Amino acid sequence: YTKITYQIKEKVLNFSAKVSKSTSKPFQKFIFQMLYGMLESNSVMLSDIARGLKEKISLIKTINRLSRNLNNFSDSELIRDNYINQIKHDIDENTIFCVDGSDITKRKSQKLELLGKVRDGSTGENNINGYNMFEIAAITKNFRMPIPVYSKIYSNAEEYFESENSETIEGLDFVRKVFNKKGIFALDRGYDADKFFKYFCKWQLKFVIRCKSTRNVKWEGITMNILDAAQRTKSEYSCVFKIKNNKKKILHFSHLAISLPCLPDITLTLIVIKGFGKQPMMLITNIESDSQNLMYAVLKAYIQRWRIEEYFKFKKQQFDLENLRVRSLKSIRNLNLILTILVGFIAHFSENGKSDLLYKCVTELSTRIFKIPKFDYYAIAEGIYNLLKHTKTGIEHMYRHQIKNEYSEQLTLLKHYSYNPFRQFT
């Protein structure tokens, strides 16, 4: 256990050093403490994080220091950019960017800064106290599970808040600029709006958007409802597709060359997939390929978008994100940034360590009822938690030598003379 826990701490230290590069020494220490404390406690509450650090000072002093640093942390963009640099080489033309929004509900809270009104996604209730959250996660050749690339918590009570669509465009702009228009953006029906179709076509970005049955399209020179167009088509291809619990469904495909009333001069492709439910699934894309490969690739790209739902659940349930207790919106955003980076660490641990003994030890300690699922983030987080909660020491001894200079000024002269206490100076 001692060897394994030290290896875990060392991995967190190395990852923290990379994402906090070029920041001040106190904030490098702070980032390391927060990442480790969240792993050790499986919580975002500062009191739980402070207990996990096991410092030899009073608990309230540790909590106050973490709270102060979280609110005064001004290098969030630098931390985010350092993190992006760690995953940038994994992004290519076939990367799937899963785009979706969520919420953090705080039903009984009254003291949180700029508390807005949100729709509770789990219950469907409207006008609940809380914050909105927008996320983009990537599924790459090396990361089959979603790895976060953009995350932002915002409030509709902010002075300069425009709309949820504006926040979405801001996130898409960030990913577009950072990754040089690479990848395929996969979006659900909530983003079936002319604004997003125009955005993707303007910047020549590949996209797959699932459409609502109320949308109109132009097919063979006639403007009609998209559902009517889908039902008129005959299935051209079929395939067997695995869903949950290894069950299989027979899906039937067809495709149409269409245009949208808002973009009459741009030809897009409507993929119609029958077999998932009573109504066909309708996906609009601008991906070009031969017909059969195109339809299967588009469906696969959209199906992988569903993994972001598991990502949201993991982030909220495993670390109890909705139970955050910091009050200022700046602290909430910084806390979310650090948690997002921690999920990135778990993603690296998952993909890069599956052949390592350390990965096997961690997942063995996760106390799974059944075998480890493909979405193994839960098993990794719980295994590390079960491992670290038995440690008697924190991490102070690991970063102490990094905070200080390699040699203090008092030892410079002795180092020069290769110090020997019995040496005679002349």
Side-chain angles (χ1 to χ4, degrees):
Y1 273 92
T2 303
K3 284 186 176 181
I4 296 173
T5 53
Y6 183 80
Q7 289 178 19
I8 293 293
K9 292 178 180 180
E10 194 173 42
K11 280 184 175 292
V12 179
L13 175 63
N14 293 336
F15 186 79
S16 172
K18 291 176 182 177
V19 298
S20 60
K21 183 181 179 181
S22 301
T23 61
S24 64
K25 293 295 183 181
F27 279 111
Q28 291 182 24
K29 171 184 173 182
F30 167 68
I31 293 297
F32 181 35
Q33 288 179 328
M34 291 293 292
L35 292 174
Y36 176 83
M38 286 180 179
L39 276 176
E40 203 275 347
S41 63
N42 268 358
S43 172
V44 295
M45 291 180 60
L46 296 185
S47 56
D48 292 336
I49 293 172
R51 290 185 180 93
L53 295 177
K54 300 179 177 68
E55 295 186 331
K56 296 179 180 179
I57 58 176
S58 63
L59 187 63
I60 188 63
K61 289 185 178 180
T62 303
I63 295 173
N64 288 339
R65 185 186 74 244
L66 294 178
S67 178
R68 183 174 62 253
N69 287 335
L70 197 62
N71 192 51
N72 295 335
F73 188 37
S74 58
D75 291 330
S76 57
E77 291 188 3
L78 179 58
I79 295 292
R80 181 191 64 186
D81 293 342
N82 288 340
Y83 166 73
I84 291 296
N85 288 333
Q86 297 303 309
I87 63 174
K88 205 169 186 178
H89 62 279
D90 294 307
I91 305 299
D92 57 23
E93 298 295 335
N94 296 318
T95 296
I96 307 297
F97 289 116
C98 307
V99 180
D100 208 353
S102 185
D103 57 82
I104 297 177
T105 56
K106 303 294 289 185
R107 292 174 177 270
K108 304 297 181 180
S109 297
Q110 298 179 352
K111 301 295 184 180
L112 294 181
E113 183 183 14
L114 296 173
L115 200 63
K117 297 294 183 180
V118 300
R119 179 184 179 275
D120 190 338
S122 57
T123 64
E125 298 177 73
N126 293 313
N127 295 323
I128 306 299
N129 288 343
Y131 299 100
N132 289 298
M133 183 164 59
F134 177 72
E135 299 258 3
I136 301 178
I139 298 174
T140 72
K141 181 180 178 181
N142 296 326
F143 292 92
R144 296 298 181 180
M145 295 296 108
I147 181 170
V149 297
Y150 181 86
S151 179
K152 182 181 178 181
I153 291 177
Y154 62 93
S155 170
N156 51 28
E158 293 181 81
E159 181 180 357
Y160 298 105
F161 173 78
E162 294 182 15
S163 66
E164 292 185 16
N165 286 347
S166 298
E167 295 293 339
T168 301
I169 293 297
E170 181 182 334
L172 295 175
D173 278 338
F174 173 80
V175 174
R176 172 178 60 83
K177 294 174 182 177
V178 167
F179 299 115
N180 298 320
K181 300 183 179 181
K182 293 180 180 178
I184 303 168
F185 291 83
L187 302 91
D188 203 5
R189 283 172 290 193
Y191 300 95
D192 177 15
D194 292 345
K195 185 172 186 177
F196 297 117
F197 284 107
K198 290 179 180 178
Y199 176 86
F200 289 123
C201 291
K202 173 185 176 181
W203 295 108
Q204 298 179 349
L205 301 173
K206 296 179 182 178
F207 68 88
V208 178
I209 299 179
R210 185 177 181 182
C211 293
K212 300 175 183 176
S213 59
T214 55
R215 167 164 289 281
N216 289 332
V217 297
K218 195 172 183 179
W219 178 41
E220 295 182 347
I222 303 173
T223 301
M224 63 176 65
N225 178 267
I226 190 173
L227 185 58
D228 293 337
Q231 291 174 340
R232 290 186 186 183
T233 60
K234 294 181 180 181
S235 300
E236 302 173 71
Y237 306 99
S238 62
C239 74
V240 178
F241 203 87
K242 285 186 178 181
I243 56 174
K244 292 182 179 179
N245 302 323
N246 288 325
K247 293 182 180 180
K248 297 179 179 179
K249 277 185 174 290
I250 299 177
L251 303 180
H252 303 279
F253 298 82
S254 59
H255 72 288
L256 306 171
I258 63 163
S259 61
L260 299 177
C262 62
L263 297 166
D265 299 327
I266 298 178
T267 301
L268 302 173
T269 302
L270 170 63
I271 308 294
V272 180
I273 305 158
K274 299 177 182 179
F276 275 117
K278 293 181 179 180
Q279 287 190 354
M281 179 185 290
M282 298 165 291
L283 306 175
I284 291 182
T285 182
N286 61 348
I287 301 174
E288 297 179 359
S289 179
D290 64 272
S291 56
Q292 187 173 6
N293 290 339
L294 165 66
M295 289 182 283
Y296 190 78
V298 169
L299 175 62
K300 189 175 181 181
Y302 179 77
I303 292 297
Q304 291 188 81
R305 190 213 66 83
W306 291 350
R307 294 181 185 175
I308 199 172
E309 304 291 344
E310 285 292 338
Y311 164 78
F312 278 130
K313 290 179 182 178
F314 170 73
K315 198 173 179 181
K316 289 184 178 181
Q317 294 178 5
Q318 191 68 35
F319 296 96
D320 203 8
L321 178 59
E322 292 189 314
N323 198 26
L324 54 86
R325 302 294 177 88
V326 292
R327 292 185 176 181
S328 73
L329 186 56
K330 181 179 179 181
S331 295
I332 292 173
R333 283 173 172 161
N334 288 335
L335 190 66
N336 176 62
L337 172 64
I338 296 172
L339 178 57
T340 301
I341 291 173
L342 180 61
V343 177
F345 167 78
I346 293 173
H348 274 88
F349 189 93
S350 169
E351 295 298 334
N352 298 333
K354 286 187 176 178
S355 60
D356 294 344
L357 179 62
L358 182 60
Y359 175 87
K360 296 178 181 178
C361 292
V362 167
T363 52
E364 192 71 24
L365 289 168
S366 63
T367 61
R368 299 287 95 185
I369 299 175
F370 304 105
K371 65 179 182 179
I372 304 299
K374 290 183 179 179
F375 193 90
D376 58 355
Y377 289 5
Y378 291 98
I380 293 171
E382 188 176 348
I384 293 176
Y385 167 74
N386 290 333
L387 189 66
L388 297 180
K389 70 180 181 181
H390 297 295
T391 58
K392 296 182 179 179
T393 59
I395 54 174
E396 187 175 0
H397 63 285
M398 300 192 70
Y399 57 72
R400 184 180 298 165
H401 69 279
Q402 289 193 346
I403 303 302
K404 296 181 179 180
N405 294 325
E406 185 178 3
Y407 298 99
S408 63
E409 294 179 359
Q410 289 82 355
L411 294 178
T412 303
L413 183 62
L414 298 180
K415 174 190 174 186
H416 178 72
Y417 280 99
S418 300
Y419 176 63
N420 184 341
F422 300 103
R423 177 175 178 171
Q424 297 294 325
F425 290 92
T426 59

PDB file of all heavy atoms in Angstrom, residues 29 62 72 92 184 211 298 308 314-315 343 362 402:
ATOM      1  N   LYS A  29       1.476  25.087  -5.442  1.00  0.00           N
ATOM      2  CA  LYS A  29       1.188  24.293  -4.244  1.00  0.00           C
ATOM      3  C   LYS A  29      -0.320  24.158  -4.052  1.00  0.00           C
ATOM      4  O   LYS A  29      -0.828  23.067  -3.739  1.00  0.00           O
ATOM      5  CB  LYS A  29       1.826  24.963  -3.034  1.00  0.00           C
ATOM      6  CG  LYS A  29       1.442  24.371  -1.697  1.00  0.00           C
ATOM      7  CD  LYS A  29       2.066  25.171  -0.562  1.00  0.00           C
ATOM      8  CE  LYS A  29       1.554  24.698   0.785  1.00  0.00           C
ATOM      9  NZ  LYS A  29       2.137  25.514   1.897  1.00  0.00           N
ATOM     10  N   THR A  62      -6.446  25.666   7.454  1.00  0.00           N
ATOM     11  CA  THR A  62      -6.317  25.080   6.123  1.00  0.00           C
ATOM     12  C   THR A  62      -7.502  25.461   5.245  1.00  0.00           C
ATOM     13  O   THR A  62      -7.338  25.833   4.075  1.00  0.00           O
ATOM     14  CB  THR A  62      -6.217  23.553   6.223  1.00  0.00           C
ATOM     15  OG1 THR A  62      -5.108  23.198   7.050  1.00  0.00           O
ATOM     16  CG2 THR A  62      -6.017  22.930   4.847  1.00  0.00           C
ATOM     17  N   ASN A  72      -8.924  34.296  -4.787  1.00  0.00           N
ATOM     18  CA  ASN A  72      -7.918  35.227  -5.313  1.00  0.00           C
ATOM     19  C   ASN A  72      -7.186  34.671  -6.528  1.00  0.00           C
ATOM     20  O   ASN A  72      -6.316  35.340  -7.083  1.00  0.00           O
ATOM     21  CB  ASN A  72      -6.887  35.556  -4.228  1.00  0.00           C
ATOM     22  CG  ASN A  72      -7.512  36.305  -3.059  1.00  0.00           C
ATOM     23  OD1 ASN A  72      -8.541  36.968  -3.210  1.00  0.00           O
ATOM     24  ND2 ASN A  72      -6.916  36.191  -1.888  1.00  0.00           N
ATOM     25  N   ASP A  92      -7.435  15.254 -33.486  1.00  0.00           N
ATOM     26  CA  ASP A  92      -7.216  15.189 -34.929  1.00  0.00           C
ATOM     27  C   ASP A  92      -8.547  15.385 -35.655  1.00  0.00           C
ATOM     28  O   ASP A  92      -9.555  15.750 -35.048  1.00  0.00           O
ATOM     29  CB  ASP A  92      -6.551  13.862 -35.319  1.00  0.00           C
ATOM     30  CG  ASP A  92      -7.368  12.650 -34.874  1.00  0.00           C
ATOM     31  OD1 ASP A  92      -8.600  12.785 -34.676  1.00  0.00           O
ATOM     32  OD2 ASP A  92      -6.784  11.563 -34.728  1.00  0.00           O
ATOM     33  N   ILE A 184     -15.095  16.804 -35.204  1.00  0.00           N
ATOM     34  CA  ILE A 184     -16.503  16.805 -35.598  1.00  0.00           C
ATOM     35  C   ILE A 184     -17.338  17.150 -34.368  1.00  0.00           C
ATOM     36  O   ILE A 184     -17.199  16.498 -33.329  1.00  0.00           O
ATOM     37  CB  ILE A 184     -16.928  15.427 -36.142  1.00  0.00           C
ATOM     38  CG1 ILE A 184     -16.034  15.018 -37.317  1.00  0.00           C
ATOM     39  CG2 ILE A 184     -18.394  15.421 -36.551  1.00  0.00           C
ATOM     40  CD1 ILE A 184     -16.197  13.561 -37.726  1.00  0.00           C
ATOM     41  N   CYS A 211     -32.085  16.673 -35.210  1.00  0.00           N
ATOM     42  CA  CYS A 211     -33.107  17.698 -35.451  1.00  0.00           C
ATOM     43  C   CYS A 211     -34.433  17.362 -34.766  1.00  0.00           C
ATOM     44  O   CYS A 211     -34.777  16.192 -34.567  1.00  0.00           O
ATOM     45  CB  CYS A 211     -33.327  17.863 -36.951  1.00  0.00           C
ATOM     46  SG  CYS A 211     -31.901  18.540 -37.792  1.00  0.00           S
ATOM     47  N   VAL A 298     -21.750   8.898 -39.330  1.00  0.00           N
ATOM     48  CA  VAL A 298     -22.539   9.961 -38.690  1.00  0.00           C
ATOM     49  C   VAL A 298     -23.277   9.419 -37.472  1.00  0.00           C
ATOM     50  O   VAL A 298     -23.315  10.043 -36.409  1.00  0.00           O
ATOM     51  CB  VAL A 298     -23.529  10.567 -39.704  1.00  0.00           C
ATOM     52  CG1 VAL A 298     -24.540  11.468 -39.001  1.00  0.00           C
ATOM     53  CG2 VAL A 298     -22.772  11.355 -40.764  1.00  0.00           C
ATOM     54  N   ILE A 308     -21.282  12.010 -23.023  1.00  0.00           N
ATOM     55  CA  ILE A 308     -21.147  13.204 -22.205  1.00  0.00           C
ATOM     56  C   ILE A 308     -22.182  13.215 -21.088  1.00  0.00           C
ATOM     57  O   ILE A 308     -21.983  13.834 -20.039  1.00  0.00           O
ATOM     58  CB  ILE A 308     -21.234  14.489 -23.059  1.00  0.00           C
ATOM     59  CG1 ILE A 308     -20.633  15.679 -22.279  1.00  0.00           C
ATOM     60  CG2 ILE A 308     -22.668  14.793 -23.482  1.00  0.00           C
ATOM     61  CD1 ILE A 308     -20.496  16.943 -23.084  1.00  0.00           C
ATOM     62  N   PHE A 314     -20.945  11.548 -13.689  1.00  0.00           N
ATOM     63  CA  PHE A 314     -19.731  11.262 -12.920  1.00  0.00           C
ATOM     64  C   PHE A 314     -19.251  12.500 -12.174  1.00  0.00           C
ATOM     65  O   PHE A 314     -18.920  12.438 -10.988  1.00  0.00           O
ATOM     66  CB  PHE A 314     -18.640  10.766 -13.868  1.00  0.00           C
ATOM     67  CG  PHE A 314     -17.284  10.663 -13.241  1.00  0.00           C
ATOM     68  CD1 PHE A 314     -16.996   9.652 -12.343  1.00  0.00           C
ATOM     69  CD2 PHE A 314     -16.294  11.593 -13.542  1.00  0.00           C
ATOM     70  CE1 PHE A 314     -15.743   9.558 -11.748  1.00  0.00           C
ATOM     71  CE2 PHE A 314     -15.045  11.506 -12.964  1.00  0.00           C
ATOM     72  CZ  PHE A 314     -14.769  10.484 -12.064  1.00  0.00           C
ATOM     73  N   LYS A 315     -19.223  13.603 -12.855  1.00  0.00           N
ATOM     74  CA  LYS A 315     -18.720  14.838 -12.256  1.00  0.00           C
ATOM     75  C   LYS A 315     -19.580  15.275 -11.071  1.00  0.00           C
ATOM     76  O   LYS A 315     -19.074  15.753 -10.055  1.00  0.00           O
ATOM     77  CB  LYS A 315     -18.686  15.931 -13.330  1.00  0.00           C
ATOM     78  CG  LYS A 315     -17.813  17.135 -13.006  1.00  0.00           C
ATOM     79  CD  LYS A 315     -17.729  18.043 -14.217  1.00  0.00           C
ATOM     80  CE  LYS A 315     -16.875  19.271 -13.930  1.00  0.00           C
ATOM     81  NZ  LYS A 315     -16.801  20.181 -15.097  1.00  0.00           N
ATOM     82  N   VAL A 343     -10.769  15.563 -13.694  1.00  0.00           N
ATOM     83  CA  VAL A 343     -11.373  14.558 -14.573  1.00  0.00           C
ATOM     84  C   VAL A 343     -10.425  14.248 -15.737  1.00  0.00           C
ATOM     85  O   VAL A 343     -10.317  13.105 -16.187  1.00  0.00           O
ATOM     86  CB  VAL A 343     -12.748  15.028 -15.089  1.00  0.00           C
ATOM     87  CG1 VAL A 343     -13.332  14.014 -16.066  1.00  0.00           C
ATOM     88  CG2 VAL A 343     -13.715  15.251 -13.933  1.00  0.00           C
ATOM     89  N   VAL A 362      -5.655  -0.247  -8.549  1.00  0.00           N
ATOM     90  CA  VAL A 362      -6.655   0.771  -8.240  1.00  0.00           C
ATOM     91  C   VAL A 362      -8.062   0.258  -8.532  1.00  0.00           C
ATOM     92  O   VAL A 362      -8.981   0.398  -7.713  1.00  0.00           O
ATOM     93  CB  VAL A 362      -6.366   2.066  -9.029  1.00  0.00           C
ATOM     94  CG1 VAL A 362      -7.557   3.018  -8.960  1.00  0.00           C
ATOM     95  CG2 VAL A 362      -5.121   2.751  -8.482  1.00  0.00           C
ATOM     96  N   GLN A 402      10.011  21.447  -3.650  1.00  0.00           N
ATOM     97  CA  GLN A 402       9.804  22.193  -4.887  1.00  0.00           C
ATOM     98  C   GLN A 402       9.566  23.670  -4.619  1.00  0.00           C
ATOM     99  O   GLN A 402       9.831  24.511  -5.455  1.00  0.00           O
ATOM    100  CB  GLN A 402       8.613  21.615  -5.651  1.00  0.00           C
ATOM    101  CG  GLN A 402       8.887  20.259  -6.258  1.00  0.00           C
ATOM    102  CD  GLN A 402       7.817  19.861  -7.247  1.00  0.00           C
ATOM    103  OE1 GLN A 402       6.751  20.461  -7.290  1.00  0.00           O
ATOM    104  NE2 GLN A 402       8.106  18.860  -8.043  1.00  0.00           N
TER     105      GLN A 402
END
